């Protein structure tokens, strides 16, 4: 089963930044686990180096198994202004080596997340999007990959309601699969053209051409008139002329 959420640009930017933040936290956590394994392996297979005994190594005075928690504390201190960016980056290099670059812009990602979240909370149109999603029948469920007709109709109605909040004729369809622990996103281009207006333009153009031919029959031979009328019966598209 999945939960369906149609969103505009603001919501999409927030979800994308949140995903980026989670990915980088996961990478730093995985790297800290690898460093713990390397540390345990080196302690078993070789004696303590002279540089470590003489305290000449560049490694920080933090146990390897506390690297990740220390990293989170440094991010908090950086956001609170208790740590400058250069010290933050230097400390990360000492702990994580060449993999530290992943977390260099962590504060910027968090700031942008907060900015987007603030826009979502304060904008009335964005609040309306959340109300549409929060209705009892506002989400579409999918069970065993069987998409019933009623579910398709519910999704189509939900999308039509959301089209009024689209940014630049585009929506994003976000599906959250709880059991699979995954989220999918797809772009939907909203067709803003009006079929009635299109038909009216074609009819007006055809009417004008027919009236012109009828009033100027003497200026063309029968073959030319027949060919022009045959083309008009195909309802060609007349382009607007701009002078």
């Amino acid at each position: 089963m999945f939960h369906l959420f149609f969103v505009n640009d603001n919501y999409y930017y927030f979800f994308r930044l949140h995903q980026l933040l989670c990915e980088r936290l996961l990478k730093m956590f995985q790297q800290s686990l690898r460093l713990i394994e390397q540390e345990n392996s080196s302690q078993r297979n070789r004696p303590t180096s002279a540089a470590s005994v003489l305290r000449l190594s560049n490694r920080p005075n933090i146990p390897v198994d506390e690297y990740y928690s220390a990293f989170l504390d440094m991010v908090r201190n950086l956001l609170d202004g208790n740590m400058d960016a250069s010290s933050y980056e230097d400390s990360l290099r000492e702990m994580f080596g060449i993999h530290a670059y992943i977390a260099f812009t962590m504060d910027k990602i968090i700031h942008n997340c907060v900015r987007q979240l603030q826009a979502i909370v304060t904008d009335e149109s964005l609040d309306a999007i959340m109300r549409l999603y929060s209705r009892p029948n506002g989400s579409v469920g999918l069970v065993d990959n069987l998409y019933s007709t009623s579910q398709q109709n519910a999704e189509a109605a939900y999308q039509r309601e959301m089209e009024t909040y689209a940014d630049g004729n585009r929506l994003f369809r976000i599906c959250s699969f709880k059991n699979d622990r995954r989220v999918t996103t797809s772009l939907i281009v909203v067709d803003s053209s009006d079929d009635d207006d299109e038909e009216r333009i074609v009819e007006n153009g055809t009417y004008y051409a027919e009236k012109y031919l009828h009033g100027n029959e003497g200026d063309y031979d029968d073959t030319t008139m027949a060919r022009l009328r045959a083309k008009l019966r195909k309802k060609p598209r007349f382009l607007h002329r701009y002078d």
Side-chain angles (χ1 to χ4, degrees):
M1 178 176 181
F2 72 84
H3 291 282
L4 176 64
F5 193 15
F6 282 109
V7 299
N8 61 1
D9 288 359
N10 293 87
Y11 275 100
Y12 172 74
Y13 294 151
F14 172 74
F15 285 132
R16 184 67 184 92
L17 288 167
H18 184 268
Q19 178 191 12
L20 186 61
L21 176 63
C22 293
E23 286 179 351
R24 296 198 178 186
L25 289 174
L26 177 61
K27 289 180 180 178
M28 296 301 290
F29 179 72
Q30 292 173 339
Q31 181 60 25
S32 66
L33 294 180
R34 284 192 287 268
L35 291 174
I36 292 174
E37 293 179 359
Q38 294 174 6
E39 180 71 12
N40 294 335
S41 177
S42 63
Q43 288 180 356
R44 289 193 302 266
N45 298 331
R46 65 182 181 184
T48 305
S49 64
S52 299
V53 173
L54 298 175
R55 297 181 180 179
L56 298 177
S57 64
N58 293 325
R59 298 185 61 178
N61 296 323
I62 302 174
V64 178
D65 55 356
E66 296 181 7
Y67 273 10
Y68 184 71
S69 58
F71 155 67
L72 295 180
D73 289 337
M74 286 191 294
V75 173
R76 295 189 189 98
N77 290 331
L78 181 64
L79 293 172
D80 293 338
N82 298 326
M83 190 176 193
D84 59 87
S86 59
S87 299
Y88 169 75
E89 294 180 4
D90 291 341
S91 299
L92 285 181
R93 289 192 192 95
E94 292 175 356
M95 291 191 296
F96 296 97
I98 61 174
H99 301 281
Y101 76 94
I102 298 172
F104 282 172
T105 57
M106 193 71 70
D107 59 323
K108 294 181 176 59
I109 295 176
I110 296 175
H111 282 146
N112 288 329
C113 276
V114 174
R115 189 178 297 113
Q116 287 299 129
L117 187 59
Q118 184 178 10
I120 291 173
V121 172
T122 56
D123 194 321
E124 293 183 359
S125 63
L126 300 179
D127 183 59
I129 293 175
M130 181 57 67
R131 288 198 301 269
L132 282 177
Y133 171 75
S134 301
R135 293 179 308 180
N137 59 346
S139 59
V140 181
L142 177 63
V143 181
D144 296 332
N145 295 326
L146 298 177
Y147 213 16
S148 65
T149 303
S150 61
Q151 289 171 332
Q152 294 177 14
N153 294 336
E155 178 178 339
Y158 180 25
Q159 179 178 335
R160 284 194 298 271
E161 289 182 291
M162 269 297 304
E163 288 177 357
T164 57
Y165 304 102
D167 294 321
N169 294 337
R170 63 178 175 270
L171 288 174
F172 294 92
R173 182 179 185 270
I174 298 179
C175 297
S176 174
F177 298 84
K178 183 177 181 180
N179 295 335
D180 297 339
R181 296 182 179 180
R182 64 186 178 93
V183 176
T184 62
T185 304
S186 55
L187 173 64
I188 297 177
V189 178
V190 179
D191 185 8
S192 60
S193 61
D194 192 334
D195 294 337
D196 294 336
D197 290 343
E198 290 283 336
E199 186 67 23
R200 179 175 53 80
I201 292 172
V202 171
E203 290 179 356
N204 289 343
T206 303
Y207 173 76
Y208 170 78
E210 284 280 6
K211 186 176 180 180
Y212 174 81
L213 291 176
H214 181 72
N216 297 273
E217 289 184 357
D219 297 337
Y220 302 96
D221 55 37
D222 294 340
T223 304
T224 302
M225 293 292 293
R227 186 172 68 253
L228 291 175
R229 293 186 185 279
K231 289 184 177 180
L232 287 175
R233 282 194 292 270
K234 297 179 180 179
K235 291 187 176 182
R237 182 178 296 275
F238 293 91
L239 301 179
H240 292 286
R241 178 177 177 179
Y242 299 95
D243 297 328

